[in-house]
Amino acid sequence: MILYSGPVPASDRTFGPVEGTAVRTTPATRTSRPVPLARAALAVALCLAPCAPGVARAATRDVPAPATAAAESAADAGAERAARRAAGAAAAPGRDGDRLRFGPCPAVERLPDPVECATLRVPLDYARPGGPLIPLTVSRARATGARGAARQGALVHNPGGPGASGMYFPLVAGLAGWERISAAYDLVGYAPRGVGRSAPLSCQDPAVRAQGPTQVPVRPSAAYKRQRVEAARAYGRGCAERAGAALAQYTTLNNVRDLHVLRAALGERKLNFLGSSYGTYLGAVYAARHPDRVRRMVLDSAVDPDPGRVWYRDNLAQGPAFERRWYDFRSWTARHHDVYGLGATPEAVGASYERVRAAVARTPAGGVVGTGELQAAYLQAAYYDDVWPERAAALAAFLRGDPDPLAGQAAPDPAAAPAAEAENAAAVYTAVLCNDAPWPADWETWDRDTTELARTAPFEAWANTFLNLPCAYWPVRDRQRPDPVGPPPAAGPRLPRTLVVAAERDGATPYRGALELQRRLGGEAALVTEEGSGSHGVVGGRNACVDRHVERYLLKGDTSGWRVTCAPHPEPAPVSLDDRAARARGALPPPVV
């Protein structure tokens, strides 16, 4: 699954899309609270998995990868050279050719003043720093200095994915709860390599991506599995055909090197970083490689960085975690049976969902929502509980004979992410994860593991497998080995205090990953846990207790203890479609959920 998370006007599946297309992500009952960072990438994330990728027209030779120790050493040296050059340019105003030159943002970014934009050029291949350069787009809102706050540097955000853009991040300066942080820090976002206008990666023509309605079987047949295996092979061939030798350069290690150069180009001796979902893994690898270059680091919704789990086993671990969150949604809906009438137990609510699924398999809702779109829409309920009232109301309306609410929520949303943006996000996600680590190369292993998983956690098991299956047939030879995240040697530079944040029942990044990340970062790492909650991406408006800990750490470096807990944020209030209509007419104000 895609690991997306982010703080803003909604886009972070933080790990991954389903078989369908982008779904509408804004709850019908709006609130005045800031939208958590985790919502900022979801609209793109739910687009990422093609139902049946287009078949490439020609076979393609494998792409060689610079996986030798000598090549990696050369790449690290190239990154240091690029960072020194960027730092020198930042300190020498006369060297305009190498500086980050901030100015008004291009219209395509949809970022209003006072947000500024710039372009950073980095080596495509750090082992050849004198070779081709690629652009990375960067955005910034300067520290406001409100109430006499002293500037503490630039706070750089990565929302996850991989494949999500953080260009929106400076907009959080205008949200409630961010006033003190935006007073002390420049808020800096960027589009990582391959994303958006940062040397965009593509694996297929966006026009040939699956169009709804799509029908996805609960228990895939042997014939359906063969179809998906061929689609996975074709997708990898398309990546190689379109990207050529550059395909091997989309990796976490190169993302770390880009971040190292960006820090230097911003004129910062040390990095202040907020990473969400996949961004926690990026931050952790950076910290392991550059402990002396870290000042503050917040890692929200942590990926398990154990090299033996990156990425195949991390993806398998999502199955039981998403199943728990699917149960949480059904349990909440059952507690509000008087509102929705879907059943008084989680099992009864599940039976109601299966009735809807069977119906849209026969006749797509509104002509546009099949089982693939239905799964994508209700996977969102496993990410964020603020959509629960709307999703429950749509099921209830459908079973009463009104398919329009379900069609409105689950149908592809043209405003959520243009086809090219969704295809681009899928390409970067696939390339980084496939390049980063070895994956099983035989379908039999995937089939066996997923069949076993689906016996107890069927909700997302097969969709996740088919999403990542191109990695079994990836055309890059000699893939990298995951970096061993861990504290620096006793004789080496000391990693300063870091802060890990997690929700105890998160489906996309299971809680054990937060415990493992804290352990690997060493004794100076603290963990803040939102107990009993599972919404993905905790920082930035969902839980005031969590936000107080994060703000205290960013402003003072204080982590308030090794492990601290916060009570869960309130569950959403049940809202029927009739209630929603009444509020829309102005009869009642929208609830704070």
Side-chain angles (χ1 to χ4, degrees):
M1 291 286 116
I2 285 44
L3 291 170
Y4 278 150
S5 241
V8 141
S11 163
D12 183 56
R13 203 200 218 226
T14 251
F15 237 154
V18 162
E19 314 257 327
T21 47
V23 296
R24 302 179 193 276
T25 60
T26 305
T29 52
R30 296 184 181 271
T31 85
S32 58
R33 294 164 55 205
V35 179
L37 282 173
R39 295 298 297 278
L42 180 68
V44 173
L46 287 173
C47 296
L48 299 190
C51 180
V55 176
R57 288 186 296 275
T60 303
R61 292 184 178 180
D62 283 354
V63 176
T68 66
E72 288 303 323
S73 178
D76 290 340
E80 289 298 334
R81 173 181 166 185
R84 287 194 299 271
R85 182 180 178 90
R95 292 173 58 181
D96 283 350
D98 296 323
R99 292 179 58 215
L100 270 179
R101 302 177 65 181
F102 283 97
C105 294
V108 67
E109 298 292 353
R110 302 188 297 277
L111 295 172
D113 292 339
V115 179
E116 307 170 295
C117 289
T119 299
L120 174 67
R121 298 194 176 276
V122 298
L124 170 66
D125 179 357
Y126 278 98
R128 298 171 55 232
L133 302 178
I134 59 173
L136 303 184
T137 58
V138 183
S139 59
R140 178 181 71 181
R142 291 180 181 272
T144 66
R147 299 184 179 180
R151 183 182 179 277
Q152 296 197 38
L155 176 62
V156 180
H157 175 56
N158 182 287
S165 172
M167 288 292 287
Y168 63 82
F169 179 59
L171 295 176
V172 304
L175 297 181
W178 288 84
E179 298 90 346
R180 295 184 67 196
I181 295 172
S182 62
Y185 287 94
D186 297 349
L187 301 183
V188 175
Y190 72 108
R193 63 169 55 205
V195 178
R197 296 187 301 115
S198 295
L201 179 65
S202 174
C203 288
Q204 62 180 167
D205 183 349
V208 305
R209 286 178 59 84
Q211 303 297 314
T214 57
Q215 301 295 355
V216 180
V218 176
R219 298 176 185 85
S221 65
Y224 184 80
K225 292 175 183 177
R226 287 193 297 270
Q227 175 189 345
R228 296 309 300 264
V229 166
E230 178 50 37
R233 292 180 185 274
Y235 188 80
R237 290 196 299 268
C239 294
E241 287 178 348
R242 286 172 168 257
L247 184 61
Q249 301 301 327
Y250 295 91
T251 66
T252 292
L253 289 183
N254 275 344
N255 285 338
V256 166
R257 293 169 183 131
D258 292 344
L259 184 60
H260 194 49
V261 177
L262 174 59
R263 171 202 57 76
L266 290 167
E268 302 294 333
R269 194 174 71 84
K270 295 193 174 186
L271 176 69
N272 302 295
F273 182 74
L274 169 58
S276 302
S277 207
Y278 164 80
T280 67
Y281 182 66
L282 172 64
V285 175
Y286 185 95
R289 287 181 156 240
H290 304 288
D292 57 332
R293 291 294 187 178
V294 175
R295 179 177 179 271
R296 301 274 198 274
M297 184 168 283
V298 178
L299 304 174
D300 176 19
S301 302
V303 174
D304 188 336
D306 182 342
R309 303 188 65 83
V310 175
W311 289 105
Y312 180 71
R313 294 194 177 279
D314 272 340
N315 274 275
L316 287 176
Q318 288 181 315
F322 274 126
E323 202 69 29
R324 285 191 294 272
R325 285 302 284 161
W326 179 231
Y327 177 87
D328 290 347
F329 166 67
R330 291 183 288 120
S331 180
W332 176 89
T333 304
R335 291 197 298 275
H336 300 294
H337 177 60
D338 59 328
V339 177
Y340 301 113
L342 293 170
T345 66
E347 293 74 20
V349 174
S352 293
Y353 175 83
E354 290 303 326
R355 287 169 58 200
V356 174
R357 179 184 174 89
V360 301
R362 293 189 300 269
T363 306
V368 292
V369 175
T371 56
E373 290 76 22
L374 183 74
Q375 173 78 1
Y378 284 83
L379 175 63
Q380 192 183 356
Y383 270 85
Y384 309 116
D385 58 19
D386 55 358
V387 305
W388 288 358
E390 188 175 50
R391 294 293 186 265
L395 291 179
F398 186 93
L399 292 174
R400 292 198 305 265
D402 180 7
D404 290 346
L406 182 61
Q409 293 179 38
D413 184 357
E421 183 180 346
E423 191 280 324
N424 169 234
V428 175
Y429 166 82
T430 307
V432 173
L433 265 63
C434 294
N435 284 332
D436 262 6
W439 292 71
D442 59 297
W443 164 245
E444 290 73 21
T445 296
W446 296 68
D447 192 17
R448 182 197 66 228
D449 290 345
T450 310
T451 298
E452 179 65 26
L453 177 62
R455 291 192 177 102
T456 56
F459 180 65
E460 183 65 359
W462 285 107
N464 205 1
T465 286
F466 292 138
L467 170 68
N468 294 291
L469 191 55
C471 294
Y473 313 107
W474 196 239
V476 174
R477 298 195 306 269
D478 302 323
R479 297 180 226 183
Q480 296 182 339
R481 297 282 174 177
D483 240 33
V485 172
R494 173 176 166 270
L495 180 65
R497 193 169 295 176
T498 54
L499 182 63
V500 181
V501 181
E504 194 173 33
R505 293 180 68 83
D506 190 344
T509 50
Y511 185 62
R512 65 161 284 167
L515 299 175
E516 179 67 10
L517 178 57
Q518 184 193 27
R519 185 186 74 80
R520 285 177 173 269
L521 290 176
E524 289 295 313
L527 172 63
V528 175
T529 300
E530 185 183 24
E531 292 187 308
S533 183
S535 285
H536 184 59
V538 187
V539 174
R542 181 171 278 122
N543 188 306
C545 169
V546 170
D547 290 344
R548 283 194 298 272
H549 284 291
V550 171
E551 182 182 89
R552 183 184 299 119
Y553 167 70
L554 286 175
L555 296 181
K556 300 180 180 180
D558 176 16
T559 56
S560 306
W562 182 58
R563 285 186 180 170
V564 297
T565 59
C566 289
H569 65 273
E571 287 188 337
V575 180
S576 69
L577 292 176
D578 291 340
D579 290 339
R580 186 184 68 179
R583 288 176 171 84
R585 292 192 299 267
L588 293 170
V592 176
V593 297

